[in-house]
Amino acid sequence: MNEQTPIAERAEKLQGLGCARKRVEDARFTQGKGNYVDDIKLNGMLFGDFVRSPYGHARIKGIDKEAALAVPGVLAVITAEDLIPLNLHYMPTLAGDVQAVLAHEKVLFQSQEVAFVVATDRYAAADGVELVEVDYEELPVVVDAAKAMAADAPLLREDIKDKDEGAHGPRKHHNHIFYWDAGDLEGTQRALSQAEVVAEESIAYQRVHPCPLETCGCVASMDKVNGKLTVWGTFQAPHAVRTVASLISNIPEHNIRIVSPDIGGGFGNKVGVYPGYICAIVASIVTGQPVKWIEDRIENLSSTAFARDYHMTGKIAATKEGKITGLQCHVLADHGAFDACADPTKFPAGFFHICTGSYDIPVAYVGVDGVYTNKAPGGVAYRCSFRVTEASYFIERMIDVLARKLEMDPAELRMKNFIAREQFPYTSALGWEYDSGNYHTAMAKAMETVGYQALRTEQAANREAFVRGETRSLMGIGVAFFTEIVGAGPVKNCDILGLGMFDSCEIRVHPTGSAIARLGTISQGQGHATTFAQILASEIGLPADRITVEEGDTDTAPYGLGTYGSRSTPVAGAATAMAGRKIRAKAQMIAAYLLEVHDDDLEWEVDRFQVKGNPERFKAMSEIAFAAYNQAIPGIEPGLEAVSYYDPPNMTYPFGAYICVVDVDVDTGVTDIRRFYALDDCGTRINPMVIEGQVHGGLTEALAIAMGQEIRYDEIGNVQGASLMDFFLPTAVETPTWETDHTVTPSPHHPIGAKGVGESPNVGGVPAFSNAVVDAFAHLGLTHTQMPHDHWRVWSVAQDLGLHG
Amino acid sequence: MIPASFDYHRPESLAAAVQLLGSLGEEARAVAGGHSLIPMMKLRMAVPEHLVDLRSIAELKGICIEGRAVSIGAMTTQAEVIASDALAQVCPILRETALQIADPQIRNLGTLGGNVANGDPGNDMPASMQVLDAQFEVAGPEGKRKIAARDFYEAAFFTALGEGEIMTAIHFEAPSASHGYAYEKQKRKIGDYATAAAAVILVMEGGRCSQASIGLTNLSDTPLYAQAASEALVGSSLDPAAIDAAVAAAEAIADPVTDSRGPSHFRRKLAGVMLRRAIASAQNRAA
Ligand SMILES: Cc1cc2nc3c(=O)[nH]c(=O)nc-3n(C[C@H](O)[C@H](O)[C@H](O)COP(=O)(O)OP(=O)(O)OC[C@H]3O[C@@H](n4cnc5c(N)ncnc54)[C@H](O)[C@@H]3O)c2cc1C
């Protein structure tokens, strides 16, 4: 590379921002050469497996280990009694509650961990599990959040029965966890009572599960010689795990090393700390041998963190012309047996109060009651920022409900109420400061691209043909416009267990012009090794192919809060850019010395510093790197390294317009997604191909949730559908073609203007599908119907509307 | 998801397999493609102490067609059923049914014999065996015998197969060359068992239905041969009244369980819808 090479060509060679660079991870994944936790094999490694509760609620009257201990290869059966002396029978949750590591005195949900069998191989462990005899006395079960707070509801949490004060304020009932609210109650009530039109709806977002392809697991290894504990595991936040492990085990933090190897999808499921991790660690400490614990699919779906289970009641006020004047929402949040939600500490309902969505709503109020039930704990952000998909589902359904009431087109109603471009930065009625947006433009582009008016005309014709008996299929058009809130978050109000939610990047530039960057985040499929190298390539002028990105090992990576809630690009991506800028600042001083000019006489251009007005005189970054290590430069330390800890000044607010067209077979309830158009605005686009991949994946998960996923419990607490026979994981056959599009509205406060995209398609997708299904029946009076829109529920709608004759 | 321990045997001949199953007794199970049995073992819902693998027994494999007489070895895979053009020529409903089973990977291992011997009401092949009036040939300690498909199924996972008996082949007479056929199945996704499914074979002569045979999948604790529904069609021009009568008769014998596919009443209604569609498609295909 020399001065003759045109600028554009040099920039292209870097494969920096905006380049559809192929994912560097794929070489190993497509060859089956990934290294997941279950690939880890250590000498003398033992295996742990759980005895789990068959009941939703029962008292444990006794545990007989004898037969299990007699199985050849079984070394130990650990129960709560064994953990009590270590004070490890309960562990702190991320939400300020405690969770039983192994059930103590009673079990509170089916599949709860009761005993941990340790054996020389996983087969012996499984045989041991069969033979542990637990004597249970069944207790009455509560699986319905609405019934949990009845005066005579059975007491679930005996361990905290005398606590009137929870982590988030007073508890009003023995199964109550918290009440949390935001907004102006009085003002909202006034707006509702004075409104020309009020639309109301009860909207439940069913319990689902992130269901990553790889289940959760770990290998814990206590080295008794040097006192060091190493844990490899499926951790979306390895540093947080290290800190928590240190706090609860009293092992000094420098003696704990947490490693997240390749992770086969997380989607929020791998944020929390599970009993399996604790038991594997304890077993390794006790035996002095490494211990592996890997869940199977049924265990994953029935015991590790679920998502949603939000029961929302809303009222929306408007003028007759369709100008929204107020919004009220109450949520009954089913948290299961322990409050193990993964939210920033101050936000027990996450960022649910983004529920005013993309609309300029003058006044709003939301209140959330969290309750205990006999269901698995969790409440994680399944491919969304904290409770944002619930919020988006709520407002996007409410807008449609209001549109029906006003007899107005739902797209038009949205257009009428969008926050206008000039209103940004915009402070919402519930207190968020939206950084940037251009909603009208995005919506207009979406409507024009799909030919919205023509679709409505076609729909009118379809409805007439249906009446004439010429078709048994109804066409639905679903519109959703979402605003996300991602990139948690500013340390001033975002922490998890007291740990500020900044993130970090450390860069070492090597003498020959290549580099390694280490971050506090951890990819689970997002392609960080690809995209963070691109951010850096543009910042420091070294080709992305010469930059290694490494994450996940707490002994080497700088402290960070991990990857979830679309926070990696907004926070760690920003740290990467900022660290790169530190490198560049030092490089400028070195270049000035080498070129014998003043710093200020230099300008940066793609991959070099050149003398202003004299571009033939330059030093490329690779030359500067060499000099940094090999020349004694007065006043400048050798080396070229930087670290940045980035505390974001604000969240970022990606948005998008989605339109879905569905054909519903009223006789079978089968829905055919004929078309799905997704316009995403995630600010500056780092790698369009990776963005497209994220959008495809997110839309497919949105399809899964809207059309089929559900973790249901029967009335006696049996979990239903906790295997892939029933739990809907779409294959290529069930997945429609996705049309993607974009606009670009950079974030004004992010160093490169990027906002994050991984979760947008889930947040916007679910309401788009739901709105489409409801829209198919809207002319017959339907305003809302419960997700998932599986065959029988859709068929029931048709049945209830009398369409089956 | 780890099965209890078991011993594994792989005999090379039918005689050796029969002998093994006889001597090992109740705790032994035959294994074919393993795609129903092994999942059950992983859930420890089946805990055989011995597995007798039938895959090395050459005489249990292959498709033989002589005129309209068809014999299919029990160990013929579902993929082989699909691949056989000769079979599709004389009896296309088997290809249509097999294509609705699970996915290609499973069909590469899963066998026709295993699918019909399993006794799970969710299996798809048994309904088509009902409409074809197939005979299952079995070999056991007492020698060989044939059991009619319509007499084979007693309850979920209970069949007329005696202890130690191995299914060796499936025999049937292919329907007349002019027949129309269809297997209509509604499922939630690839790899799912039927919410409701209907198999139909019919023959039209001079605008009238001269023969009709209807089977139903996953709508009771056994596959159903819908005799009254079949009879409702015979002699008719497949006019709406006849079809309504057939649908009503099929719905009347359908008694599906409520499961995560939906409540019983929905699945019963869906049986009618599948049947209507299967009749229409079979009528279209009838020469
Ligand atoms: C994910 C998944 C989806 C599936 N979806 C469907 C579906 O949609 N439709 C469907 O019909 N099936 C489905 N199946 C089941 C599949 O078709 C099985 O292959 C089939 O049911 C059994 O055939 P097999 O050869 O695998 O038998 P195995 O599993 O080996 O055996 C099944 C039972 O039959 C007995 N058996 C097998 N062969 C003989 C014999 N020759 N003589 C006596 N007894 C015998 C065994 O002892 C055992 O009890 C699915 C399976 C899976 C794993």
Side-chain angles (χ1 to χ4, degrees), chain A residues 561-615:
Chain A
L561 265 278
T563 294
Y564 42 86
S566 279
R567 66 186 298 282
S568 298
T569 294
V571 192
T576 305
M578 298 310 269
R581 287 173 195 180
K582 290 185 186 175
I583 296 278
R584 218 162 76 187
K586 182 167 179 183
Q588 184 166 5
M589 295 195 284
I590 296 170
Y593 173 80
L594 297 174
L595 292 164
E596 298 178 341
V597 296
H598 191 273
D599 295 2
D600 293 343
D601 295 332
L602 292 176
E603 62 188 4
W604 174 254
E605 197 228 56
V606 181
D607 57 354
R608 60 186 59 179
F609 279 104
Q610 62 194 22
V611 176
K612 286 180 189 161
N614 192 2

Side-chain angles (χ1 to χ4, degrees), chain A residues 725, chain B residues 21 29-39 51 54 60 74-75 78 97 100-103 106-107 109-120 122-126 138 157 161 165-168 185 187 190-194 217:
Chain A
M725 177 58 75
Chain B
L21 278 175
R29 283 284 275 279
V31 64
H35 271 62
S36 287
L37 183 55
I38 291 173
L51 280 190
L54 305 179
L60 294 183
M75 287 298 288
Q78 297 152 12
T97 307
Q100 297 271 17
I101 296 174
D103 57 48
I106 290 165
R107 299 195 295 256
L109 279 168
T111 64
L112 182 61
N115 200 287
V116 300
N118 192 30
D120 182 339
N123 281 130
D124 287 298
M125 277 297 176
V138 304
F157 299 103
L161 202 67
E165 280 186 322
I166 292 172
M167 187 176 293
T168 55
K185 174 180 178 181
K187 55 188 170 187
I190 279 297
D192 193 18
Y193 293 94
T217 296

Side-chain angles (χ1 to χ4, degrees), chain A residues 49 122-123 126-127 130 296-298 665 667-670 712 724-729 731 733-734 790-792 795, chain B residues 1-5 43-44 186-193 195 259-263 265-266 269-270 273-274 277:
Chain A
D49 199 351
R122 51 173 48 135
Y123 303 93
D127 287 346
E130 280 290 297
D296 67 32
R297 178 64 56 194
I298 292 175
D665 179 336
D667 291 324
T668 59
V670 172
R712 222 162 31 85
L724 295 187
M725 177 58 75
D726 291 316
F727 194 75
F728 181 41
L729 218 54
T731 69
V733 177
E734 290 82 28
D790 54 12
H791 299 165
W792 93 259
W795 179 89
Chain B
M1 294 296 260
I2 291 178
S5 66
L43 294 167
R44 299 198 179 205
Q186 182 158 327
K187 55 188 170 187
R188 295 168 298 178
K189 58 182 174 185
I190 279 297
D192 193 18
Y193 293 94
T195 308
D259 66 10
S260 46
R261 295 172 183 83
H265 69 95
F266 159 65
K269 278 288 167 202
L270 203 56
V273 178
M274 291 299 108
R277 293 184 181 182

Side-chain angles (χ1 to χ4, degrees), chain B:
Chain B
M1 294 296 260
I2 291 178
S5 66
F6 56 85
D7 287 332
Y8 176 82
H9 312 264
R10 197 195 282 194
E12 308 260 328
S13 71
L14 180 59
V18 169
Q19 211 273 320
L20 253 178
L21 278 175
S23 64
L24 296 170
E26 247 179 57
E27 305 308 330
R29 283 284 275 279
V31 64
H35 271 62
S36 287
L37 183 55
I38 291 173
M40 299 277 275
M41 289 169 61
K42 286 185 167 187
L43 294 167
R44 299 198 179 205
M45 286 158 77
V47 274
E49 286 172 16
H50 299 273
L51 280 190
V52 178
D53 191 337
L54 305 179
R55 81 175 62 191
S56 296
I57 306 173
E59 58 203 285
L60 294 183
K61 269 182 141 341
I63 298 171
C64 170
I65 302 169
E66 281 168 24
R68 306 218 66 78
V70 179
S71 299
I72 306 176
M75 287 298 288
T76 306
T77 64
Q78 297 152 12
E80 287 161 352
V81 167
I82 293 167
S84 170
D85 289 334
L87 181 61
Q89 194 72 40
V90 298
C91 188
I93 195 171
L94 291 184
R95 177 183 279 177
E96 178 148 302
T97 307
L99 280 169
Q100 297 271 17
I101 296 174
D103 57 48
Q105 286 172 309
I106 290 165
R107 299 195 295 256
N108 282 338
L109 279 168
T111 64
L112 182 61
N115 200 287
V116 300
N118 192 30
D120 182 339
N123 281 130
D124 287 298
M125 277 297 176
S128 291
M129 295 296 149
Q130 303 301 307
V131 300
L132 290 168
D133 198 9
Q135 298 282 316
F136 300 153
E137 185 178 329
V138 304
E142 256 90 80
K144 294 195 168 193
R145 61 178 180 131
K146 281 187 181 169
I147 311 169
R150 292 178 188 171
D151 298 330
F152 187 74
Y153 299 97
E154 293 166 355
F157 299 103
F158 285 92
T159 66
L161 202 67
E163 205 189 302
E165 280 186 322
I166 292 172
M167 187 176 293
T168 55
I170 288 128
H171 306 282
F172 59 88
E173 187 80 17
S176 89
S178 65
H179 80 279
Y181 67 94
Y183 188 68
E184 281 286 333
K185 174 180 178 181
Q186 182 158 327
K187 55 188 170 187
R188 295 168 298 178
K189 58 182 174 185
I190 279 297
D192 193 18
Y193 293 94
T195 308
V200 170
I201 281 184
L202 49 80
V203 178
M204 299 298 285
E205 279 173 51
R208 301 246 146 220
C209 174
S210 60
Q211 283 173 47
S213 179
I214 295 171
L216 301 171
T217 296
N218 218 13
L219 291 160
S220 177
D221 66 345
T222 64
L224 294 175
Y225 173 57
Q227 189 166 351
S230 310
E231 283 163 4
L233 296 181
V234 176
S236 82
S237 61
L238 301 184
D239 52 290
I243 292 173
D244 285 349
V247 165
E251 286 178 3
I253 59 166
D255 183 21
V257 294
T258 292
D259 66 10
S260 46
R261 295 172 183 83
S264 179
H265 69 95
F266 159 65
R267 298 182 59 195
R268 184 179 307 116
K269 278 288 167 202
L270 203 56
V273 178
M274 291 299 108
L275 179 55
R276 263 179 216 286
R277 293 184 181 182
I279 293 171
S281 165
Q283 184 179 9
N284 268 333
R285 287 159 163 178

